[in-house]
């Protein structure tokens, strides 16, 4: 038999006014039993409560009960005939209505109405006394309203929800008995039930009763239409349960969920503190301030103890949020210092690390912050603040600051509010501490990185340089991009740009090691491919040492690094370069055209692979070499590639016409102010030495040529206008270097003098062995040549070339050349 047929067949015998109500839990156990049910079935409350309702039915109907309970759990009701069993064993035909409802404390339940079939129909004109008996002792508030939505009847349990005694309700509307609770919304649902007959179950209504305007209350209501024998609506009845505590619990969980999503989205201390204030208003308080110890925003360790002998404790205002425009009346901007008296509740919480709550503030009490802008301190009455809580911001056993919560119009803070505030602040404290530690590490890495980068590039005659470095933002951290300009012998110059993977102090330290190694290798004048080979060995050894030590968990950032090393010779414009997994340099010709060097890519440093290869090219004077890291090419996460090169090409076009290399303009055009990756750019415009700045002589390998070389050098220095002292020392250097080449080497000998910012003397020979500085004894006849060179020259050394070696000596110019 279908549900509709059952309802129709039972309609004549079912009368709500004559029904015996009982309450079941969702599993079908009897949870509430009435005197009327006892008269109908003979079982007392002690026997019935806790018993399966199916045990009180005939076998066939008992088997149907599980399906009916399932309908109720789905929100539907049911009405139809059944056969119950009396306590004495006789069957009792009954009309049954089963409907979902809500028990006290908001628990789901099933309301069962039993009406014995065969009784005369008494209609709607049932006395109020009988109606009251139907729900006698029921803790759920029940009311019946007519089609005009005016009260006809209500039980005594409804009085616990306010609105006065039951005998005063008839003829009144919901808004009359519960002003302030939003009666329009409730009546709208009642009207919908009357018009459609659809039952509304579990409608939660939240509002503030006029009798308690500071306390938000929540009720769970269910509405059902009442019909006469013809199916026409007679009115509506509703049940109500107070679910305020469940509502508040849900609000607290929602607040904590919002905190998890919105606090700590950045690694900035001040932003995190402001996020804490934003989340707490208005869900927990009307006005919130977040104050941190002065050292915390800068990343330093917190010092919670107030200064000895000081009457005021300064804190840094890190965030505040107000529900009202007039709070705070004396505004303290974020970042400003706010001072508290040492005997005030905020300072006591700061020193003890314990929370504080005051349900009712002293209206005439003065706000705790002193020295506010304007010079006038307001009372809590003037500010309209009634209740307050102070919760220390503590993380890892250390107090970082305070969060102060105020209420103006909400109910006073209770113990549950304090527990919620402590939970909220403890979650935010971890984020503040993480941000503080990140700030400390970021600043330390930035200081380290900047100390490792050249503060000022040297001024050289070979190139005119400009460099820019733009670090990544705090979400990514600092990286290991670097650049350098290294003067070499013979007026040459080395240009270097590299990138270490990773971020933070470890990456900056790895960058420092590589930069130091490059400078060391440059000092011994190795060609670019050998410099990279030595760097590769260094990275491999460092990785092996780290892997064998206690720091095996910390990766070596040198491994996987990239680098490009370029040597430029202004004497002939030759440029030699090699790369280790690094973008090839660009060249801006004097006419403004831009091209990229076809440079073979060697493996990343420390990973092994084929040997590094160098290429050599000749640059016209006025060409610009552009060295950069891949952060310059990346754009919106595309990783660079051909598209990145094309963007760089467009940015470089026209830079040849600028008086100086337009480094800043290029990096501004390609890199955002807060990039996702570091970007370094080094631009060097090449120059050539004038022919009159270089003098060279090819010498035969004959000891007699030493005197000729000395005279040639003397004449050239005189033409350059150098003073006699420099001429004398240069004669000695030429004599010793040429003598050494003639005596110990074979093949051609060449003497070259270069006048730049210094005076360079070079002697080339065909030998393959490097000379060694010795310290002869007093009676030794030889071995003093290089010792004399080292005493006379500011710098000296040896570099190997394809056709031999060059011994060079460099002297400062005591008198500028004419």
């Amino acid at each position: 038999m279908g549900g509709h047929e059952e309802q129709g067949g039972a309609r004549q015998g079912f009368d709500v006014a004559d029904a015996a109500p009982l309450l079941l839990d969702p599993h079908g156990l009897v949870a509430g039993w009435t005197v009327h049910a006892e008269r109908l079935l003979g079982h007392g409350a002690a026997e019935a409560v806790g018993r399966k309702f199916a045990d009180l039915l005939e076998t066939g109907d008992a088997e149907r009960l599980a399906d009916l309970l399932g309908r109720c759990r789905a929100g539907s009701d049911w009405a139809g005939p059944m056969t119950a069993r009396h306590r004495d064993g006789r069957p009792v035909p009954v009309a049954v209505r089963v409907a979902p409802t809500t028990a006290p404390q908001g628990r789901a339940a099933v309301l069962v109405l039993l009406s014995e079939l065969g009784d005369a129909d008494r209609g709607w004109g049932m006395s109020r006394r009988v109606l009251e008996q139907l729900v006698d002792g029921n803790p759920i508030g029940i009311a019946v309203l007519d089609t005009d939505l005016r009260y006809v009847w209500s039980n005594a349990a409804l009085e616990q929800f306010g609105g006065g005694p039951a005998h005063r309700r008839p003829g009144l509307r919901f808004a009359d008995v519960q002003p302030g609770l939003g009666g329009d919304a409730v009546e709208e649902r009642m009207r919908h039930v009357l018009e459609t007959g659809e039952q509304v179950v579990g409608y939660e209504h939240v509002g503030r009763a006029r009798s308690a305007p500071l306390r938000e209350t929540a009720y769970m209501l269910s509405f059902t239409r009442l019909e006469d024998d013809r199916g026409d609506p007679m009115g509506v009845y509703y049940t109500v349960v107070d679910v305020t505590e469940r509502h508040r619990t849900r609000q607290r969980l929602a607040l904590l969920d919002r905190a998890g999503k919105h606090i700590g989205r950045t690694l900035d201390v001040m932003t995190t503190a402001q996020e804490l204030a934003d989340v707490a208003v208005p869900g927990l308080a009307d006005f919130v301030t977040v104050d941190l110890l002065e050292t915390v925003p800068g990343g330093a360790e917190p010092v919670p103890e107030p200064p000895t002998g000081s009457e005021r404790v300064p804190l840094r205002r890190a965030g505040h949020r107000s529900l009202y425009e007039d709070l705070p009346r004396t505004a303290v901007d974020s970042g400003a210092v706010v001072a508290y008296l040492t005997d005030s509740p905020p300072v006591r919480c700061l020193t003890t690390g314990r929370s504080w709550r005051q349900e009712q503030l002293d209206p005439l009490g003065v706000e705790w912050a002193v020295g506010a802008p304007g010079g006038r301190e307001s009372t809590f009455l003037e500010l309209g603040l009634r209740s307050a809580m102070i919760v220390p911001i503590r993380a890892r056993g250390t107090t970082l600051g305070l969060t102060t919560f105020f209420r103006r119009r909400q109910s006073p803070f209770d113990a549950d509010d304090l527990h919620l505030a402590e939970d909220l602040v403890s979650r935010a404290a971890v984020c503040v501490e993480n941000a503080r530690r990140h700030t400390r590490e970021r600043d330390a890495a930035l200081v380290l990185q900047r100390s490792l980068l050249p503060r000022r590039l040297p001024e050289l005659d070979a190139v005119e340089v400009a460099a820019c470095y733009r670090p990544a933002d705090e979400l990514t951290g600092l990286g290991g991009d670097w650049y350098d300009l290294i003067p070499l012998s013979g007026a040459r110059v080395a240009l270097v740009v590299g990138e270490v993977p990773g971020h933070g102090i470890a990456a900056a330290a790895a960058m420092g090691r590589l930069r130091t190694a490059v400078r060391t290798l440059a000092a011994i004048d190795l060609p670019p491919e050998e410099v990279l080979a030595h760097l590769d060995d260094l990275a491999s050894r460092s990785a092996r040492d780290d892997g064998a030590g206690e720091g095996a968990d910390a990766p070596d950032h040198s491994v996987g690094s990239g680098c490009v090393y370029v040597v430029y010779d202004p004497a002939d414009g030759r440029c030699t370069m090699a790369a280790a997994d690094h973008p090839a340099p660009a060249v801006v010709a004097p006419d403004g055209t831009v091209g990229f060097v076809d440079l073979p890519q060697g493996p990343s440093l420390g990973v092994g692979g084929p040997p590094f290869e160098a290429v050599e090219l000749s640059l016209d004077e006025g060409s610009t070499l552009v060295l950069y890291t891949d952060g310059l090419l990346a754009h919106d996460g595309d990783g660079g590639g051909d598209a990145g090169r094309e963007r760089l090409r467009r940015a470089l076009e026209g830079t040849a016409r600028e008086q100086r290399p337009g480094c800043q303009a290029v990096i501004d055009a390609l890199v955002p102010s807060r990039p996702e990756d570091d970007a370094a750019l080094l631009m060097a415009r090449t120059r050539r030495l004038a022919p009159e700045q270089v003098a060279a002589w090819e010498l035969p390998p004959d000891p007699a040529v030493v005197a000729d070389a000395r005279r040639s050098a003397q004449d050239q220095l005189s033409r350059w206008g150098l003073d006699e002292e420099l001429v004398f020392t240069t004669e000695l250097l030429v004599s010793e270097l040429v003598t050494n080449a003639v005596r110990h080497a074979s093949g051609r000998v060449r003497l070259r003098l270069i006048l730049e910012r210094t005076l360079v003397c070079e002697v080339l020979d065909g030998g393959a062995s490097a000379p060694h500085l010795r310290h002869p004894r007093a009676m030794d006849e030889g071995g003093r040549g290089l010792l004399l060179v080292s005493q006379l020259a500011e710098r000296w050394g040896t570099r190997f070339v394809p056709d031999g070696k060059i011994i060079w000596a460099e002297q400062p110019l005591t008198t500028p050349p004419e």
Side-chain angles (χ1 to χ4, degrees):
M1 179 181 295
H4 293 291
E5 294 175 340
E6 291 179 328
Q7 290 180 359
R11 186 180 304 281
Q12 293 297 327
F14 189 88
D15 191 333
V16 66
D18 193 44
L22 55 104
L23 200 63
L24 307 181
D25 70 10
H27 304 289
L29 298 179
V30 177
W33 192 259
T34 63
V35 175
H36 200 60
E38 181 178 356
R39 285 200 300 269
L40 179 62
L41 299 181
H43 298 280
E47 298 175 274
V49 173
R51 187 176 180 181
K52 291 182 179 181
F53 180 63
D55 295 341
L56 305 179
L57 302 175
E58 290 287 347
T59 303
D61 292 327
E63 293 173 353
R64 301 167 57 199
L65 185 62
D67 179 64
L68 299 180
L69 293 175
R71 293 189 190 185
C72 290
R73 287 193 293 270
S76 301
D77 64 343
W78 178 90
M82 283 188 172
T83 302
R85 184 171 294 279
H86 195 272
R87 187 172 184 273
D88 59 10
R90 61 182 173 85
V92 181
V94 291
V96 182
R97 181 181 287 275
V98 183
T101 188
T102 305
Q105 290 80 44
R107 294 192 299 270
V110 178
L111 177 64
V112 179
L113 299 177
L114 303 178
S115 180
E116 187 172 6
L117 290 176
D119 287 352
D121 183 7
R122 305 178 198 178
W124 174 249
M126 180 60 65
S127 68
R128 184 171 297 147
R129 181 183 61 81
V130 176
L131 290 173
E132 291 174 352
Q133 291 178 4
L134 295 178
V135 288
D136 184 29
N138 194 331
I140 300 174
I142 304 176
V144 178
L145 291 80
D146 61 19
T147 54
D148 292 329
L149 299 184
R150 297 185 180 276
Y151 281 92
V152 174
W153 172 89
S154 62
N155 68 342
L158 192 65
E159 297 177 6
Q160 64 183 305
F161 303 102
H167 68 273
R168 294 183 180 177
R169 292 178 186 265
L172 300 177
R173 303 177 74 97
F174 183 88
D176 297 330
V177 299
Q178 290 286 13
L181 276 182
D184 292 342
V186 175
E187 289 190 354
E188 180 182 351
R189 279 157 181 79
M190 292 182 183
R191 197 169 291 108
H192 174 78
V193 172
L194 279 174
E195 293 173 355
T196 65
E198 296 176 0
Q199 188 180 41
V200 175
V201 178
Y203 166 65
E204 186 171 317
H205 183 71
V206 180
R208 296 177 186 270
R210 184 174 297 177
S211 58
L214 298 180
R215 182 177 184 269
E216 192 174 64
T217 56
Y219 299 119
M220 186 75 74
L221 299 101
S222 296
F223 306 96
T224 304
R225 187 171 77 175
L226 297 174
E227 302 171 351
D228 59 17
D229 295 338
R230 296 182 300 275
D232 296 327
M234 299 170 53
V236 62
Y237 80 88
Y238 71 84
T239 61
V240 58
V241 176
D242 191 333
V243 292
T244 301
E245 288 305 315
R246 187 176 72 176
H247 173 71
R248 295 187 66 188
T249 300
R250 191 164 61 243
Q251 284 185 316
R252 294 186 182 104
L253 293 176
L255 180 65
L256 295 177
D257 182 64
R258 271 198 319 277
K261 293 179 179 178
H262 296 283
I263 298 178
R265 292 177 294 180
T266 69
L267 287 173
D268 180 80
V269 174
M270 301 294 283
T271 301
T272 303
Q274 183 60 49
E275 289 169 344
L276 169 58
D278 292 340
V279 168
V281 176
L284 181 58
D286 296 332
F287 176 42
V288 173
T289 63
V290 182
D291 300 318
L292 299 175
L293 297 171
E294 287 195 280
T295 57
V296 171
E301 292 295 330
V303 183
E305 293 297 329
T308 303
S310 174
E311 295 183 356
R312 300 182 178 184
V313 177
L315 295 176
R316 185 76 58 180
R317 176 60 50 85
H320 62 85
R321 180 81 172 188
S322 177
L323 188 60
Y324 304 99
E325 293 183 358
D326 62 332
L327 276 177
R329 184 167 297 175
T330 53
V332 179
D333 295 332
S334 294
V337 174
V338 56
Y340 292 100
L341 295 175
T342 53
D343 60 347
S344 63
V347 175
R348 289 199 297 270
C349 293
L350 189 68
T351 54
T352 63
R354 294 193 294 269
S355 302
W356 178 88
R357 175 175 63 91
Q358 186 72 41
E359 291 188 9
Q360 185 64 48
L361 292 170
D362 180 5
L364 300 181
V366 179
E367 57 179 330
W368 300 310
V370 295
R376 181 178 179 274
E377 297 172 348
S378 302
T379 64
F380 291 121
L381 178 62
E382 292 173 323
L383 296 173
L385 300 177
R386 299 183 178 182
S387 185
M389 298 186 299
I390 304 175
V391 179
I393 303 173
R394 291 179 56 82
R396 298 180 176 94
T398 303
T399 301
L400 305 174
L402 300 168
T403 304
T404 307
F405 304 84
F406 293 100
R407 279 183 179 174
R408 170 180 281 184
R409 296 179 181 174
Q410 299 186 53
S411 58
F413 290 115
D414 56 22
D416 290 338
D417 293 323
L418 182 60
H419 293 326
L420 176 60
E422 290 174 336
D423 196 356
L424 176 65
V425 172
S426 67
R427 297 183 183 207
V430 175
C431 298
V432 171
E433 173 65 4
N434 290 339
R436 183 193 70 81
R437 291 184 174 224
H438 171 79
T439 300
R440 179 185 62 187
E441 181 175 341
R442 181 196 61 191
D443 292 346
L446 184 60
V447 171
L448 174 61
Q449 192 170 34
R450 289 177 175 172
S451 68
L452 294 175
L453 291 173
R455 295 185 180 180
R456 180 175 174 270
L457 295 174
E459 294 185 4
L460 303 173
D461 288 345
V463 290
E464 183 183 13
V465 296
C468 291
Y469 174 74
R470 182 161 292 176
D473 62 17
E474 73 271 12
L475 292 177
T476 310
L478 296 171
D481 289 14
W482 56 284
Y483 59 86
D484 210 346
L485 178 69
I486 307 170
L488 301 178
S489 64
R492 297 169 306 125
V493 62
L495 302 116
V496 194
V497 167
E499 182 173 12
V500 172
H503 302 281
I505 293 179
M511 177 269 286
R513 290 198 302 268
L514 285 182
R515 179 171 179 256
T516 302
V518 168
R519 282 190 158 265
T520 302
L521 296 170
I524 58 177
D525 262 328
L526 293 178
E529 67 273 19
E530 294 188 25
V531 170
L532 296 184
H534 283 286
L535 288 178
D536 184 60
D537 292 339
L538 173 67
S540 298
R541 288 196 303 271
S542 179
R544 289 195 297 268
D545 293 344
D546 287 347
E550 295 180 358
D553 292 337
D556 182 0
H557 291 267
S558 299
V559 176
S561 300
C563 179
V564 60
Y565 186 88
V566 180
V567 175
Y568 173 70
D569 189 344
D572 54 13
R574 287 186 303 172
C575 181
T576 308
M577 63 184 70
D581 190 25
H582 196 88
V587 177
V588 183
D591 62 0
T593 58
V594 180
F596 292 88
V597 179
D598 186 10
L599 181 61
Q601 286 296 314
S604 300
L605 299 178
V607 301
F612 299 97
E613 298 182 43
V615 297
E616 183 177 300
L617 61 153
S618 181
L619 298 178
D620 296 329
E621 185 173 10
S623 299
T624 302
L625 271 170
V626 182
L627 283 66
Y628 52 91
T629 58
D630 56 10
L632 192 74
L633 301 181
H635 180 73
D636 292 337
D638 63 4
D642 293 339
R645 278 192 171 193
E646 185 57 33
R647 287 192 298 271
L648 177 58
R649 182 193 305 275
R650 291 195 298 268
L652 291 173
E653 289 175 349
T655 57
R657 295 186 296 272
E658 299 176 4
Q659 187 174 0
R660 294 181 58 84
C663 187
Q664 189 64 51
V666 173
I667 206 165
D668 287 342
L670 297 177
V671 183
S673 58
R674 299 171 71 88
E676 295 183 359
D677 193 11
D678 299 336
L681 174 63
L682 178 65
M683 298 178 66
R685 182 167 295 160
T686 62
R687 297 169 177 158
R688 290 282 188 94
L689 296 179
E692 59 270 16
Q693 290 181 270
V694 181
W697 299 270
E698 294 290 337
L699 304 175
D702 183 354
V705 81
V706 175
D708 295 336
R710 190 166 53 242
R711 284 192 296 272
S712 298
Q714 182 183 19
D715 294 341
Q716 182 63 50
L717 267 59
S718 297
R719 286 193 292 272
W720 282 338
L722 302 180
D723 61 20
E724 293 184 0
E725 182 180 352
L726 190 59
V727 172
F728 176 72
T729 56
T730 304
E731 285 186 64
L732 292 177
L733 290 174
V734 168
S735 178
E736 292 298 334
L737 294 178
V738 173
T739 298
N740 190 68
V742 171
R743 179 179 299 173
H744 299 290
S746 60
R748 60 189 288 255
V749 176
R750 185 186 69 182
L751 170 65
R752 186 169 72 160
L753 298 178
I754 301 174
L755 180 64
E756 196 204 22
R757 296 177 184 268
T758 60
L759 178 62
V760 181
C761 177
E762 294 182 346
V763 174
L764 178 145
D765 62 58
S769 60
H772 298 285
L773 181 64
R774 293 187 296 170
H775 297 275
R777 292 170 297 182
M779 301 304 293
D780 290 344
E781 295 183 0
R784 294 180 175 82
L786 288 182
L787 180 61
L788 179 62
V789 170
S790 67
Q791 296 296 318
L792 296 176
E794 184 179 56
R795 296 194 309 150
W796 74 280
T798 304
R799 73 175 184 269
F800 290 91
V801 293
D803 53 350
K805 68 176 182 295
I806 295 176
I807 303 177
W808 56 272
E810 186 177 291
Q811 301 175 84
L813 297 178
T814 55
T815 301
E818 297 179 358

